[in-house]
Amino acid sequence: MTPAPPLRWDVLEEHLDEAAFLHAQWERALRGPEYVLAEVVEGPEERLLAHLDGLVVGGRAAAERLLLPALEADEPDVAFAAAWALLASEDGDFTGAVVAALGKAEPELAASIGRALMLAPRADVFGPLAPLLASGPPPAQAAALEVLAFRRRDPGANLAPLLRAQDASVRRAALRLARHVPARVHPQALELAVGAEEPEERNLAIAAGLVLGSRAAWEACEAAARDGGPGWAFPALAWALSGAPDLAPLLAGLEDEARRADAIFALGFTGRVAAVDAVAPWLEDEALARLAGEAVSAVTGLVLESEFAAEPKRWDPDAEEDDEEDEPAGPEADLPAPEGQVVQAWWEHARTTLDPAARYLGGKPWSAEALVAALREGPMRRREALAFDLAVRTRGAVQLEPFAWAREQGEELTSLAAPALRAANATYERILQTPAARPAPVSPAPAAPPARASRPPEDGLVVTALGMITANGDGAAQACAAARAGLVRIADLDGFEAWDEDAGAMVPIAGHAVPHLAGGFLGAARLGRLGAAALRELLPAMAALDPARTALLVAGPSGAALEAFERAGMEAEDPDDEAPAEPPSVFRKKQLEQRLLTILSDAAGLAIPRANQRRYLGDGPGFAAALRDAELGIARGTWDACVVGGVDTLVEPAVLDALAGLHVLRTPARAQGLVPGEGAAFVLLERAASARRRGATARARLGRAVSGAAPSRFAPVEGPGVALAAAVRASLPGVTPPAIVLTSLNGDERRALEWGHALVRLQADGLPGETPEWNPAEWFGDLGAATGPAALCMAVRSWERRAWAGPAVAWLWGDGGAVGAFGVQGV
């Protein structure tokens, strides 16, 4: 049996460290004023999930050596990352270990492990947590209840005993769960809870009661809002959200210094002109101006920027440092500071355009639809309150979890049915006049069935296996996970230096070299080791194939650009000297042509006959030509399957010297240029029907592959981008419009010029102007002939891990005068 690619422990450890850091950043973003939902998805959440996925693909070995010990660490963010990755494991079930760690953890650590259980992609959490719910220690029991509340799962028994538990954290967690399982909560138990002496417990009971339609909860809320005692902030907020025109309890809080900040925050949710009048005087108060500005914006829609925002304080090097400034600031510190007098002057005019009897949300008349829009597009800091408001107004039918994955929240809001909002525009007083109907007992939600993949056409080509090696990972799963997470392995290269004017000395050039090849192999031997490492990953999927009906199509380095440069260079040195019959690059090219396929086949243990092997020595575009030949060969019945890929290295000293002479290498003296890399990537292609018959999984559907000629780097720049645009345009049928473009940009100015002009032409033909781009060279270095298959592997793995969605198109450009493109779609 072929062993799995070796794990890169340094990469896995970095995944864990970065996931822990980003978890803290993500949690802050969910509660902060600087982000809206889409920005969280595209920012810290995407990066966090990428690092978590990097831990998952490490499999059992990573779980046992790295993740299980991290559960015992006294670092909550590290424990969260480890627990989430263990729960998402695809190489064994580690749920028991996570629950066991939860059972003996201290409160802070238990909360982090519980958070992982909330967010992990598991359907069944009730079963593993049942023992803790029944008899676990209070921190673990409370964390387990919080998990069930977050995931809206039935505990399987009446909550009354838990609502009377001795430990306050257990009672509070049971109250958070109560709003999701009304059949498990007797009305009398809830009425007792709203009379609790402890303010937080009382407020949680009020919140649950309001969602469940309890008049007793609303009466308790009214009393607490008017009383102004401890824990006043939540009853005041609920009063503001209720739509009640009477602002007296909130205005009274504004007069009390201890409650003033909470009162300003609540007034921003009333939507009333009178509320803006009340908070406007505080726009110039140093301590409360940011809160007051937020409240004004929430009602009126005024954006605090430009002339409405105060200038940030300049750093005074002579001022004495305040130790308190080193303390972490709360979300309020991230609010924009208003220019008080300017905002007040604006308000004097703006208030005349608003109806004092009406209610507003972001400057628009309040409505349930506006509430949903605010949840989708408003600042994250205010969404917890708005989500609670929506839950009350829909009588618990819509209970958005504001601290779930932002991507999932967006999907839930998009699918929200209009009928659920029909009765949501009244005040709480009106909504709660009719007692809520008691639902039937609920049972634990069954696991959701896996989504059915779309079935590719019977005659279409599909990718059924991947193999890859790069500087940041051995194996497609590891390398692609590291790239999605932004992890690179760039280091000084041995054997080549360039002049650094600032240092006044020769310094090494940085590049992306595969660490276990560095310093030991050159030329064809190095390419062979790279290619064989990637090909061996395909062997298990090829076991059932007939080698005589399988082809090996390999793109490799052509040396065309190096040959042209070397010939020109020798002529320039002394035209009268007799030039060598073959410059080094030509010799290297012939050597590779003769030996590359043999070395790859022998090193990887392939049994594919030599007659079924083809080489495409055209740098990046050679891969597009190989894909085209695979498509034709399988369609004509010549082959049943094809192994198609590429291998290249740009980190050898001789290659670096030539690239520097071409002025395309990034050096201290040249900021624009490529950063060299090396690697290999291969895919197994076959017809969808054939793959289905032999039980192979179709992992992606290949679109049309196109290759063509273009002016070389050494030709005059005339009509740039024409050939490249034509290749991309020809590859688009079946994948239009692409959701992402995979490019071969590498920092080279000429290549960027070609793509820039091609992009203008394609956009004129209808390519969406905001189509995202992904550049393999950014994370792997320039992979030369391996760029195309690496991009294809990245696309497949990203679809499989839900990091991308929609079809992709990839383009390739070679120095020697060739272009290529291909389309690909997930299944």
Side-chain angles (χ1 to χ4, degrees):
M1 182 176 178
T2 304
L7 291 176
R8 289 285 304 277
W9 291 106
D10 61 323
V11 173
L12 285 166
E13 288 166 1
E14 188 170 356
H15 276 309
L16 182 59
D17 290 342
E18 288 295 312
F21 170 77
L22 286 165
H23 172 243
Q25 298 300 307
W26 177 74
E27 296 282 9
R28 182 183 175 93
L30 288 178
R31 295 159 175 82
E34 319 101 300
Y35 288 90
V36 298
L37 198 64
E39 291 170 341
V40 176
V41 173
E42 296 167 3
E45 181 164 302
E46 182 178 322
R47 294 167 58 206
L48 171 59
L49 285 169
H51 284 292
L52 290 173
D53 188 55
L55 294 172
V56 172
V57 301
R60 177 174 287 275
E64 293 176 347
R65 173 171 164 175
L66 185 65
L67 302 180
L68 287 172
L71 285 179
E72 307 293 333
D74 193 22
E75 299 180 57
D77 290 316
V78 172
F80 165 84
W84 192 96
L86 288 166
L87 292 166
S89 172
E90 299 164 353
D91 190 16
D93 187 356
F94 295 93
T95 310
V98 174
V99 173
L102 175 64
K104 59 186 179 181
E106 295 298 320
E108 187 178 6
L109 205 61
S112 286
I113 297 173
R115 189 80 169 116
L117 282 158
M118 295 175 187
L119 295 162
R122 292 187 59 90
D124 175 28
V125 293
F126 175 76
L129 290 173
L132 291 182
L133 288 168
S135 58
Q141 194 175 30
L145 286 167
E146 297 279 10
V147 171
L148 294 188
F150 184 94
R151 300 182 73 120
R152 310 170 198 174
R153 295 297 167 85
D154 178 35
N158 196 290
L159 289 178
L162 294 169
L163 293 173
R164 298 191 301 268
Q166 184 176 1
D167 188 86
S169 66
V170 174
R171 297 196 301 272
R172 291 194 292 266
L175 285 167
R176 289 190 180 93
L177 176 57
R179 59 188 276 187
H180 299 289
V181 288
R184 303 297 187 189
V185 187
H186 195 280
Q188 290 181 345
L190 201 56
E191 290 177 13
L192 287 173
V194 298
E197 293 183 5
E198 201 270 321
E200 184 178 356
E201 188 175 334
R202 176 205 65 195
N203 290 343
L204 287 169
I206 289 174
L210 291 177
V211 172
L212 299 180
S214 167
R215 286 288 304 175
W218 177 240
E219 291 168 1
C221 182
E222 286 183 308
R226 294 186 186 280
D227 178 62
W232 178 78
F234 176 76
L237 177 62
W239 183 289
L241 292 167
S242 74
D246 179 13
L247 304 186
L250 307 182
L251 298 178
L254 200 59
E255 299 300 319
D256 180 355
E257 184 178 358
R259 293 185 287 153
R260 189 169 294 144
D262 293 329
I264 292 174
F265 184 67
L267 283 163
F269 288 95
T270 65
R272 305 287 180 178
V273 170
V276 182
D277 288 337
V279 302
W282 300 99
L283 288 166
E284 296 185 69
D285 182 271
E286 185 174 356
L288 298 171
R290 295 175 187 271
L291 278 172
E294 179 190 35
V296 172
S297 294
V299 178
T300 67
L302 175 67
V303 180
L304 295 179
E305 58 185 28
S306 188
E307 71 271 25
F308 299 108
E311 289 285 340
K313 289 184 178 180
R314 296 182 180 273
W315 177 64
D316 183 358
D318 298 324
E320 293 185 7
E321 294 186 6
D322 187 351
D323 293 339
E324 293 183 0
E325 292 182 359
D326 296 333
E327 295 297 320
E332 294 85 355
D334 294 325
L335 290 167
E339 187 63 62
Q341 293 183 0
V342 176
V343 175
Q344 289 190 60
W346 172 87
W347 173 240
E348 287 299 321
H349 169 72
R351 73 185 311 281
T352 63
T353 66
L354 303 179
D355 181 1
R359 193 175 177 214
Y360 297 90
L361 182 57
K364 299 177 182 178
W366 196 100
S367 67
E369 291 73 19
L371 173 59
V372 173
L375 281 164
R376 186 182 296 112
E377 302 163 8
M380 301 299 291
R381 167 174 153 81
R382 303 178 67 78
R383 294 179 73 256
E384 182 180 11
L386 296 177
F388 169 73
D389 191 26
L390 184 61
V392 175
R393 294 179 179 283
T394 58
R395 306 299 289 271
V398 181
Q399 297 198 52
L400 181 75
E401 176 46 65
F403 303 125
W405 293 117
R407 178 175 59 188
E408 294 177 1
Q409 292 186 58
E411 293 169 355
E412 187 173 350
L413 285 167
T414 300
S415 64
L416 191 60
L421 306 177
R422 285 176 184 167
N425 286 343
T427 64
Y428 286 5
E429 179 75 28
R430 179 77 175 272
I431 291 171
L432 298 173
Q433 282 180 354
T434 304
R438 299 295 294 177
V442 294
S443 57
R452 297 185 64 181
S454 60
R455 191 167 175 172
E458 292 290 311
D459 59 347
L461 281 190
V462 295
V463 177
T464 55
L466 310 173
M468 188 172 176
I469 183 172
T470 62
N472 59 2
D474 291 27
Q478 296 177 60
C480 293
R484 287 199 312 276
L487 296 188
V488 298
R489 284 296 179 268
I490 186 169
D492 292 341
L493 300 174
D494 295 332
F496 184 81
E497 295 180 329
W499 179 257
D500 185 342
E501 189 69 33
D502 293 336
M506 300 292 286
V507 298
I509 292 297
H512 302 250
V514 176
H516 36 285
L517 288 180
F521 297 87
L522 296 173
R526 190 178 189 105
L527 292 174
R529 284 178 61 86
L530 287 167
L535 284 168
R536 281 193 290 269
E537 194 176 356
L538 299 179
L539 293 180
M542 297 172 61
L545 296 174
D546 180 358
R549 299 282 300 165
T550 305
L552 173 64
L553 312 179
V554 183
S558 70
L562 305 185
E563 175 187 346
F565 170 74
E566 288 172 0
R567 287 195 180 282
M570 287 184 290
E571 292 171 2
E573 287 176 7
D574 191 345
D576 297 328
D577 285 352
E578 182 177 353
E582 293 182 341
S585 65
V586 178
F587 174 77
R588 179 172 180 265
K589 175 183 175 182
K590 290 186 176 181
Q591 183 188 47
L592 293 177
E593 287 179 347
Q594 295 167 359
R595 299 183 56 200
L596 181 57
L597 292 174
T598 300
I599 290 175
L600 288 178
S601 296
D602 292 348
L606 297 181
I608 297 173
R610 182 66 181 82
N612 290 4
Q613 299 180 18
R614 305 283 188 275
R615 58 185 178 272
Y616 300 80
L617 301 180
D619 295 319
F623 178 66
L627 288 177
R628 181 62 179 157
D629 284 356
E631 181 182 3
L632 293 174
I634 293 176
R636 293 168 179 168
T638 306
W639 304 312
D640 293 335
C642 290
V643 176
V644 189
V647 57
D648 208 344
T649 177
L650 276 67
V651 301
E652 293 187 1
V655 178
L656 293 171
D657 186 57
L659 293 173
L662 281 170
H663 305 295
V664 297
L665 183 67
R666 187 178 301 176
T667 67
R670 187 177 185 82
Q672 298 294 326
L674 66 85
V675 177
E678 66 178 348
F682 289 88
V683 298
L684 179 60
L685 296 177
E686 51 192 307
R687 290 180 69 241
S690 301
R692 192 174 299 113
R693 280 196 299 271
R694 70 183 189 89
T697 300
R699 302 175 65 174
R701 184 168 68 249
L702 191 68
R704 185 178 180 186
V706 179
S707 60
S712 77
R713 168 180 296 281
F714 307 99
V717 181
E718 296 179 0
V722 173
L724 183 55
V728 173
R729 191 181 299 115
S731 72
L732 285 176
V735 294
T736 305
I740 192 165
V741 176
L742 305 165
T743 85
S744 60
L745 292 173
N746 62 354
D748 173 45
E749 292 175 295
R750 175 62 185 272
R751 191 171 298 198
L753 175 70
E754 292 287 335
W755 174 237
H757 282 268
L759 186 58
V760 171
R761 298 173 189 277
L762 292 168
Q763 289 175 349
D765 293 339
L767 180 73
E770 299 300 320
T771 304
E773 296 182 6
W774 192 83
N775 310 317
E778 191 171 350
W779 311 118
F780 305 130
D782 190 327
L783 295 180
T787 299
L792 180 52
C793 288
M794 185 72 189
V796 175
R797 287 296 301 172
S798 296
W799 286 320
E800 291 178 335
R801 313 308 290 183
R802 293 190 66 202
W804 293 348
V809 62
W811 64 264
L812 303 159
W813 190 83
D815 292 326
V819 294
F822 60 90
V824 62
Q825 168 69 67
V827 296

